Amino acid sequence: MAESSSSTEEIVRLIKRLSGYVAFKMSNLFSTTPIRNLDSRSIGAIAGLAIAVVFTWRALRTQPGEPQRRRPKRRMQSDESSSAADVSSPHEDNNGVQDHFFQPVKPTLGQIVRQKLSEGRKVTCRLLGVILEESSPEELQKQATVRSSVMEVLLEITKCCDLYLMERVLDDESEAKVLQALETAGIFTSGGLVKDKVLFCSTEIGRTSFVRQLEPDWHIDTNPEISTQLARFIKFQLHVSAAKPGERTAPNVFTSQSIEQFFGCA
């Protein structure tokens, strides 16, 4: 490195001396000889000498510096490639984390109930075969038992809807047994249902009249005849039948083996 720099300095000093000599000669030439008396050979020699000096000077300036200028660029390119690799690797590692957080969330039972009921605000429902284990008024004279599997759905319905329960009974003792069974199950305490919204009648026609007077968005029943009669007046109905669901009797009447199955929690 020291030898190359000293030789470069000697060449530079030589070129400067040569340039000074050329400039001195040209000044003497132009001062003693008019330009018009110079022949073409003299002018061409002077121009060629000047051009040679200029190009030699530029070559000497650029050649020593070029390798030093290119080296930083190579370093920058290597640094950029390494940084790009460093940036891409964390992104690949985060793919698993993103997949974990963006997995579809399973809807809650309350969301399913509201969706199934189409945001309905009032629901009427018979007790026998839907809420109670018993399926006939004669059985209610002996006992009344609330189905444990229906409680969760029933409580969700009371949270978003005005719920009315109704049933045909044969005597006052059956009515008392039903109310006691509902109270024991916690419907009046946890579900927000009041005893005044549990209605009793002595005929099937009486239950039909209850439904039409209340004008619910949904009615749930096990009697296909009542579902058919109410299809013209009620927006939606759910017909609960132990048999395998067949064809729908009306476009607004849905069929399911249980209320829990209809809401997807059976």
Side-chain angles (χ1 to χ4, degrees), residues 1-96:
M1 289 294 293
E3 293 178 358
S4 61
S5 61
S6 62
S7 60
T8 302
E9 292 177 358
E10 291 178 0
I11 295 173
V12 170
R13 286 197 295 269
L14 180 59
I15 291 174
K16 288 182 178 180
R17 291 175 183 174
L18 182 60
S19 299
Y21 177 77
V22 171
F24 175 74
K25 287 295 184 181
M26 289 181 67
S27 63
N28 291 336
L29 180 63
F30 286 114
S31 62
T32 57
T33 305
I35 296 177
R36 63 177 176 271
N37 294 333
L38 294 176
D39 55 4
S40 60
R41 292 181 181 180
S42 300
I43 296 175
I46 294 170
L49 181 59
I51 293 171
V53 171
V54 172
F55 276 95
T56 303
W57 172 252
R58 294 187 63 181
L60 290 173
R61 288 188 62 187
T62 56
Q63 285 180 0
E66 283 181 354
Q68 297 178 356
R69 292 178 183 175
R70 289 176 182 173
R71 288 175 185 172
K73 291 183 180 179
R74 291 175 184 172
R75 291 196 189 98
M76 290 176 63
Q77 290 177 357
S78 62
D79 293 341
E80 290 176 357
S81 61
S82 62
S83 62
D86 294 339
V87 171
S88 61
S89 57
H91 178 71
E92 293 175 356
D93 295 337
N94 288 334
N95 286 339

